[in-house]
């Protein structure tokens, strides 16, 4: 049954209680007023807005030459590898490379282990044994299987069936050990390309995209030099990611074999075929990305309509003012205010910009800002947004998983 006092809510109960106990009404009124006042004092003041700077950008990499995601996109739209290469490297043709070997620096220093070695110089070794290499003066020693082999200088290792193992990874061709110990893989050009493609592009991608990667990798290896007398290429992004025989896949080997010996040429010379992960929709002129580089007729900005399949076609990062100042370091004198773009490239990646802070402005490059702030590309803009202050990380980026690409 319903209570005769009515519902226990709202002001009704308070009024009924005052009627029943009239002498207590004034104190209770004062108590009510005090309660409201205390409640007002206890309520937190509205938190001031925290200034958040949002960096919105596009692409992943230096932006010059061939976009790998763009190549996959073109392949999905029926383009063959020759047409794709001509798109990214303006005015080029496909030619044939001179037959040669490539010397790849796999590691420098330490005491690497080698296996599957049947011959070291003129000495026969047991392929089933593991040998540890050490530097010894101007030479190298190999120790394993109860024996120690000493060599007065560099020594070349060879294994059965044309490959050796360094630290458990297989590499075609020969392995040179130099004092230091420097391990250098001496490998035929096309065998080298077979080890590069799976390091630079997913083997599951379309055959025409993998062929683009094969020809670009072969051309890049011949057109560039790591600058050392002992080797031609690094095995990482300082040159190209080379993983050797252990990483080979049927799809990537087929791409290398079906384009065997082919290179990109411009006016008869092998082109320097820069490539990278994601263009954001347009590549960039080489002189706008590699500062000090001369303009190149075949490394010009081109539209890249199918690059939007990349998880980093568009992205953004969020920074607090304090985090931005910390990342900018000496580029920001005082309290950070803004980044003002002075000049953009064709794409439009940032070429030059001013970092504006309370004690002045500092001119810098888009590339420098990219690396200072940890951005994916120099195609970006900075916008300011205010949000209620709340616990949050000082910087956050939104995009997908890291894509392929070298020379980022």
């Amino acid at each position: 049954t319903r209570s005769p006092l009515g519902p226990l809510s709202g002001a009704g109960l308070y009024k009924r209680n005052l009627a029943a106990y009239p002498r207590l009404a004034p104190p209770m009124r004062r108590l009510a007023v005090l309660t409201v006042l205390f409640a007002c004092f206890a309520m937190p003041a509205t938190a001031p807005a925290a200034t958040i700077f949002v960096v919105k950008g596009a692409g992943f990499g230096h932006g010059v030459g061939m976009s790998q995601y763009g190549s996959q996109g073109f392949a999905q739209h029926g383009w063959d590898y020759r047409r794709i290469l001509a798109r990214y490297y303006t005015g080029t043709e496909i030619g044939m490379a001179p037959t040669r070997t490539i010397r790849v620096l796999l590691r420098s220093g330490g005491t690497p282990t080698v296996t599957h070695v049947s011959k070291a110089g003129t000495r026969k070794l047991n392929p089933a044994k593991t040998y540890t290499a050490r530097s010894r003066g101007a030479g190298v020693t190999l120790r394993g299987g109860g024996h120690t082999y000493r060599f007065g200088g560099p020594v070349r290792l060879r294994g059965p069936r044309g490959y050796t193992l360094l630290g458990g990874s297989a590499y075609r061709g020969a392995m040179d050990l130099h004092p230091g110990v420097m391990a250098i893989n001496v490998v035929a050009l096309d065998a080298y390309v077979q080890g590069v493609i799976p390091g630079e592009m997913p083997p599951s991608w379309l055959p025409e995209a993998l062929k683009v990667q094969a020809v670009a990798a072969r051309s890049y290896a011949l057109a560039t030099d790591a600058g050392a007398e002992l080797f031609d290429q690094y095995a990482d992004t300082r040159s190209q990611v080379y993983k050797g025989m252990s990483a080979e896949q049927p799809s990537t080997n087929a791409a290398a074999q079906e384009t065997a010996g082919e290179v990109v040429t411009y006016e008869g010379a092998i082109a320097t075929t820069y490539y990278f992960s994601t263009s954001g929709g347009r590549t960039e002129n080489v002189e706008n990305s590699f500062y000090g580089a001369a303009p190149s007729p075949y490394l010009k900005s081109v539209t890249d309509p199918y690059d939007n399949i990349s998880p980093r076609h568009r992205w953004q990062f969020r920074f607090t003012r304090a985090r931005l100042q910390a990342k900018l370091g000496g580029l920001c004198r005082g309290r950070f205010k803004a980044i003002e773009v002075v000049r953009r490239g064709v794409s439009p990646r940032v070429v030059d910009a001013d970092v504006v802070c309370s004690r002045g402005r500092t001119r810098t490059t888009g590339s420098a800002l990219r690396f200072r702030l940890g951005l994916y590309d120099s195609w970006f803009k900075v916008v300011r947004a205010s949000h209620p202050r709340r616990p949050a990380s000082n910087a956050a980026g939104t995009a997908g998983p890291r894509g392929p690409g070298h020379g980022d």
Side-chain angles (χ1 to χ4, degrees):
T1 60
R2 183 168 178 156
S3 167
L5 293 179
L8 303 178
S9 63
L13 179 60
Y14 180 66
K15 290 180 179 178
R16 281 193 296 273
N17 286 338
L18 289 182
Y21 305 101
R23 286 175 294 180
L24 297 179
M28 289 192 70
R29 286 195 187 98
R30 288 196 294 273
L31 178 61
V33 171
L34 289 174
T35 300
V36 172
L37 287 174
F38 283 133
C40 290
F41 286 129
M43 288 176 63
T46 302
T51 300
I52 299 296
F53 294 90
V54 181
V55 183
K56 298 181 178 182
F60 183 27
H62 50 63
V64 179
M66 181 262 288
S67 158
Q68 291 164 309
Y69 271 102
S71 294
Q72 171 73 346
F74 277 121
Q76 289 174 346
H77 284 77
W79 289 41
D80 69 21
Y81 75 99
R82 289 174 176 262
R83 187 182 176 193
I84 298 171
L85 287 164
R87 172 76 173 205
Y88 289 115
Y89 306 112
T90 308
T92 60
E93 298 177 338
I94 300 297
M96 295 303 295
T99 302
R100 61 167 291 181
T101 58
I102 297 291
R103 301 169 301 167
V104 188
L105 178 65
L106 300 179
R107 65 171 295 161
S108 181
T111 56
T113 58
V114 292
T115 320
H116 200 257
V117 178
S118 56
K119 202 170 184 180
T122 59
R123 300 185 185 185
K124 292 184 178 180
L125 275 64
N126 185 345
K129 300 295 183 181
T130 297
Y131 300 89
T132 301
R134 287 184 170 82
S135 186
R136 181 175 179 269
V140 175
T141 65
L142 288 175
R143 180 173 297 171
H147 297 86
T148 299
Y149 302 90
R150 295 180 174 85
F151 304 90
V155 58
R156 174 161 292 184
L157 311 182
R158 294 190 181 276
R161 300 185 297 282
Y163 71 92
T164 57
L165 277 72
L166 177 73
S169 295
Y171 296 92
R172 296 183 185 275
M175 188 74 63
D176 286 354
L177 299 181
H178 291 259
V181 168
M182 296 175 67
I184 298 171
N185 186 199
V186 183
V187 60
L189 177 60
D190 286 327
Y192 166 74
V193 171
Q194 289 181 181
V196 169
I197 303 172
E200 291 285 2
M201 187 174 276
S204 61
W205 279 16
L206 293 176
E208 295 306 305
L210 296 175
K211 291 176 190 177
V212 169
Q213 184 64 66
V215 178
R218 191 180 293 113
S219 306
Y220 188 85
L222 294 178
T224 61
D225 191 323
E229 293 182 6
L230 299 179
F231 63 93
D232 307 307
Q233 299 282 294
Y234 291 99
D236 54 35
T237 55
R238 288 173 290 180
S239 296
Q240 303 182 97
V241 177
Y242 170 66
K243 295 187 174 182
M245 181 180 172
S246 293
E248 292 177 9
Q249 299 291 325
S251 61
T252 54
N253 281 2
Q257 292 159 10
E258 291 172 20
T259 62
E262 292 184 352
V263 291
V264 178
T265 65
Y266 183 81
E267 295 184 347
I270 298 174
T272 304
T273 48
Y274 293 112
Y275 59 90
F276 62 102
S277 171
T278 304
S279 73
R282 191 174 188 101
T283 68
E284 186 54 78
N285 288 7
V286 65
E287 69 274 15
N288 291 334
S289 188
F290 300 150
Y291 304 105
S296 169
Y298 61 84
L299 294 174
K300 294 291 187 183
S301 176
V302 298
T303 56
D304 198 16
Y306 306 126
D307 175 87
N308 56 5
I309 62 174
S310 170
R312 288 182 177 162
H313 182 72
R314 292 290 183 272
W315 45 263
Q316 70 176 29
F317 283 85
R318 300 166 64 83
F319 297 95
T320 62
R321 188 189 303 274
R323 186 59 175 162
L324 263 181
Q325 288 179 196
K327 283 183 168 288
L328 290 169
L331 293 177
C332 183
R333 292 173 291 143
R335 188 170 185 265
F336 176 80
K337 292 185 175 181
I339 292 176
E340 295 181 358
V341 176
V342 176
R343 182 164 64 100
R344 289 187 181 272
V346 183
S347 56
R349 286 166 172 83
V350 176
V351 179
D352 298 299
D354 284 346
V355 177
V356 183
C357 298
S358 59
R359 297 207 301 269
R361 60 179 61 217
T362 304
R363 181 66 52 86
T364 188
T365 65
S367 179
L369 287 172
R370 176 195 169 197
F371 287 106
R372 288 265 188 161
L373 300 180
L375 309 179
Y376 299 130
D377 202 298
S378 57
W379 179 341
F380 65 87
K381 65 178 180 180
V382 181
V383 297
R384 179 172 170 167
S386 293
H387 296 280
R389 192 178 298 278
R390 63 185 184 277
S393 60
N394 277 327
T398 58
R402 178 181 173 92
H406 86 291
D408 296 336

